[in-house]
């Protein structure tokens, strides 16, 4: 009878992460958690770059007059760096990167009270959001 070795769950998770990193090519992901902007305001910015070429998206974000654009621009640059780390043998200029997918979800909500007339208190909800950005190359020549 053969003895089976039991592997810890943490070791299995680390092995899966290493396998995922070992895969060359493909898309790269960047996430922004608990960004202190309302999801509605963030979606206005994110909708402008969805499906666009990375270079055009960066220009759009750089010259957009919204506070959320600064954060999305940093996130896009992070996704590009992640793609470069994953595809060390390819150049960003030659690979025709584009914003494959962008999603904005609601994050934690801080609840505050504002004084109101006659001893009442109005509730203020300070919203936050989570942004997930995926960058991929149009020519998938692995």
């Amino acid at each position: 009878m053969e003895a089976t070795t039991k592997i810890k769950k943490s070791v299995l998770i680390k092995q899966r992460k290493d396998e995922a990193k070992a895969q060359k090519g493909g898309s790269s992901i960047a996430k922004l958690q608990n960004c202190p902007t309302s999801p509605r305001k963030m979606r206005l910015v994110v909708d402008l770059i969805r499906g666009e070429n990375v270079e055009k998206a960066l220009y759009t974000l750089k010259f957009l007059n919204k506070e959320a654009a600064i954060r999305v621009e940093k996130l896009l640059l992070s996704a590009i760096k992640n793609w470069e780390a994953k595809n060390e043998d390819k150049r960003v200029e030659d690979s025709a990167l584009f914003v494959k997918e962008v999603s904005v979800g609601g994050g934690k909500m801080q609840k505050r009270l504002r004084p109101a007339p006659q001893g009442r208190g109005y509730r203020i909800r300070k919203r936050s959001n989570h942004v997930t950005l995926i960058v991929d190359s149009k020519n998938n020549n692995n």
Side-chain angles (χ1 to χ4, degrees):
M1 189 162 215
E2 223 175 276
T4 57
T5 58
K6 194 168 185 179
I7 301 173
K8 280 186 172 180
K9 190 174 182 181
S10 60
V11 174
L12 283 173
I13 291 171
K14 189 169 192 282
Q15 287 175 350
R16 285 188 198 134
K17 282 184 181 178
D18 291 340
E19 288 171 6
K21 280 185 182 179
Q23 287 179 339
K24 292 286 181 186
S27 60
S28 69
I29 300 172
K31 290 184 180 184
L32 177 63
Q33 302 284 329
N34 293 319
C35 179
T37 310
S38 72
R40 187 174 182 180
K41 291 177 184 176
M42 188 64 82
R43 282 188 194 105
L44 288 172
V45 173
V46 160
D47 289 342
L48 294 173
I49 65 164
R50 185 174 286 123
E52 291 291 335
N53 184 5
V54 163
E55 198 170 302
K56 185 179 177 189
L58 281 171
Y59 285 132
T60 304
L61 292 171
K62 186 157 187 83
F63 295 109
L64 193 64
N65 193 15
K66 291 199 176 284
E67 184 260 340
I70 298 166
R71 294 192 168 116
V72 176
E73 183 184 4
K74 277 184 166 181
L75 186 67
L76 181 57
L77 288 170
S78 174
I80 293 168
K81 293 288 183 190
N82 292 344
W83 187 89
E84 285 177 352
K86 208 173 190 184
N87 304 288
E88 293 169 353
D89 56 332
K90 297 180 185 175
R91 291 182 57 211
V92 176
E93 296 83 19
D94 300 336
S95 58
L97 285 179
F98 74 106
V99 180
K100 184 176 181 180
E101 190 178 318
V102 186
S103 63
V104 178
K108 286 184 176 180
M109 199 182 310
Q110 296 178 344
K111 293 175 181 157
R112 302 286 181 260
L113 286 177
R114 163 163 280 160
Q118 298 181 355
R120 289 193 206 97
Y122 290 157
R123 181 172 288 154
I124 293 178
R125 295 183 301 269
K126 296 190 175 189
R127 299 173 191 271
S128 67
N129 63 57
H130 304 312
V131 184
T132 304
L133 194 140
I134 301 175
V135 170
D136 200 3
S137 66
K138 285 188 180 174
N139 44 356
N140 291 327
N141 299 333
N142 291 337

